[in-house]
Amino acid sequence: MGTSGQVAVLGAYGHTGRFVVAELLERGLRPVLCGRDTGRLDALAGRHSGVRPGLGVRPATVGDPASLDRALAGADAVINCAGPFAGTASPVIEAALRARIPYVDVAGEVEAVADTFTHFAERAEAAGVTVVPAMAFFGGLGDLLVTAALGDRRSADEVFLAYALSSWHPTAGTRASSAVSRERREGRRLVHADGRLELRTDKAPTGRWSFPAPVGNQDVVREFTTADSVTISRHVSVPVVDTCMTSGAVQDVLAPGAPAPAPVDDLGRSAQTFLVEAVVRSGGAERRAVARGRDIYAVSAPLAVEAVLRVLGGRARRAGVASAGELFDARDFLASLAPHVSVEFAH
């Protein structure tokens, strides 16, 4: 464990950032609030003054490396919640390498996550710094479910991830990140096939998926590629990582003028619920893991914070860029997420 108990949070006043700050406080750590807008940082510190007076406020922008160095000074780790991550991940990882502290982000952008593995794997390992991209609902949770279902195996014939969201009201960050990804893809879509990511111009297929009760049979959009396709394929040898999303959720998130998540409890969570089913097929055998919970943005906070605590506590398997399933004991990690996430396994 680091000596200061301080964890820098970039994008602290953003939608997911606020959940991360609250989770750090709940776990007894000292978040350092970082971002571009000093006024919003001060306001966030004020809201938490009753729990932890005098939270550190450190304005920083990704275009100013010196400001990032000041933001990370004395911190044990940094959690990057500031998207779009195509523009923020690289500068913040560079700052973490200079400070020699672990880096975790909640990126959902498939390309940005792939870039982190491509550009920083060797440097992070050489520096002895652990870098964990996509430690969130997309990327981290699915990777842990698949890894736990695999058990001791490190290969599979097929991996399926099926997402059922009761609704999907996107944050401003989701909309901005989606726009960046669409621009990078030039209207094409990403699919993980033949052991790699490839761009296609055809329309995503649709179908039906039989989810566990009470969700049941649902219309889905197939090949709804998420960051899990990157994180899983980094440490599991599998030719196909297929994902599907309930059609209603896809319609929600793509609707013009889609509303932002509406808080309905004291924690700021929305009423949205989720079910994620991981299906791993290998050698004629099939294993399944199912996760249930509430609010895909809020649940990213315990995922990211638990990852930081495990890295700082010496419970990560190695340094360098790695995904959740590669770094941690997947079943133990999933168990630690209760009561935020409930998990079941079936063979």
Side-chain angles (χ1 to χ4, degrees), residues 12-13 18 33 37-49 55 57:
Y13 49 72
R18 295 195 299 273
L33 312 183
D37 191 322
T38 304
R40 295 179 72 182
L41 293 172
D42 287 337
L44 180 61
R47 286 197 291 274
H48 288 291
S49 60
L55 283 182
V57 169

Side-chain angles (χ1 to χ4, degrees), residues 93-307:
I93 294 171
E94 293 281 5
L97 292 178
R98 292 193 296 271
R100 293 190 174 274
I101 61 173
Y103 168 95
V104 171
D105 70 32
V106 296
E109 299 159 48
V110 181
E111 298 90 346
V113 176
D115 287 346
T116 294
F117 281 100
T118 299
H119 299 313
F120 290 100
E122 292 183 3
R123 291 179 55 201
E125 186 173 5
V129 172
T130 302
V131 173
V132 194
M135 196 62 236
F137 177 79
F138 290 118
L141 181 57
D143 186 18
L144 289 165
L145 290 170
V146 167
T147 306
L150 277 169
D152 294 333
R153 300 182 183 183
R154 290 296 174 264
S155 64
D157 298 329
E158 296 174 302
V159 166
F160 293 88
L161 280 172
Y163 293 94
L165 307 186
S166 61
S167 62
W168 191 353
H169 297 161
T171 64
T174 294
R175 290 193 294 270
S177 293
S178 297
V180 169
S181 289
R182 286 196 299 272
E183 183 176 347
R184 291 185 68 170
R185 298 175 192 180
E186 298 179 334
R188 296 168 292 179
R189 61 187 186 87
L190 273 175
V191 175
H192 185 278
D194 300 321
R196 62 186 177 85
L197 289 169
E198 59 182 49
L199 287 164
R200 295 181 179 175
T201 57
D202 59 337
K203 187 177 180 180
T206 58
R208 298 277 288 176
W209 188 274
S210 181
F211 290 92
V215 177
N217 292 330
Q218 297 287 328
D219 292 329
V220 296
V221 176
R222 300 292 299 264
E223 298 179 357
F224 189 86
T225 304
T226 61
D228 310 85
S229 292
V230 178
T231 57
I232 292 166
S233 62
R234 297 299 302 190
H235 65 103
V236 177
S237 177
V238 57
V240 176
V241 179
D242 195 3
T243 50
C244 67
M245 177 67 71
T246 44
S247 297
V250 175
Q251 293 168 6
D252 282 348
V253 77
L254 295 180
V264 297
D265 66 15
D266 292 341
L267 300 177
R269 297 180 302 174
S270 72
Q272 176 207 62
T273 58
F274 64 80
L275 184 152
V276 184
E277 183 173 28
V279 181
V280 179
R281 294 172 181 157
S282 183
E286 181 177 282
R287 299 183 178 189
R288 293 174 180 258
V290 177
R292 293 177 172 85
R294 177 177 165 190
D295 195 322
I296 64 173
Y297 297 107
V299 81
S300 294
L303 281 158
V305 172
E306 180 67 21

Side-chain angles (χ1 to χ4, degrees), residues 62-63 80 82-92 109 112 115 180 184:
V62 295
N80 183 9
F85 292 90
T88 68
S90 181
V92 183
E109 299 159 48
D115 287 346
V180 169
R184 291 185 68 170

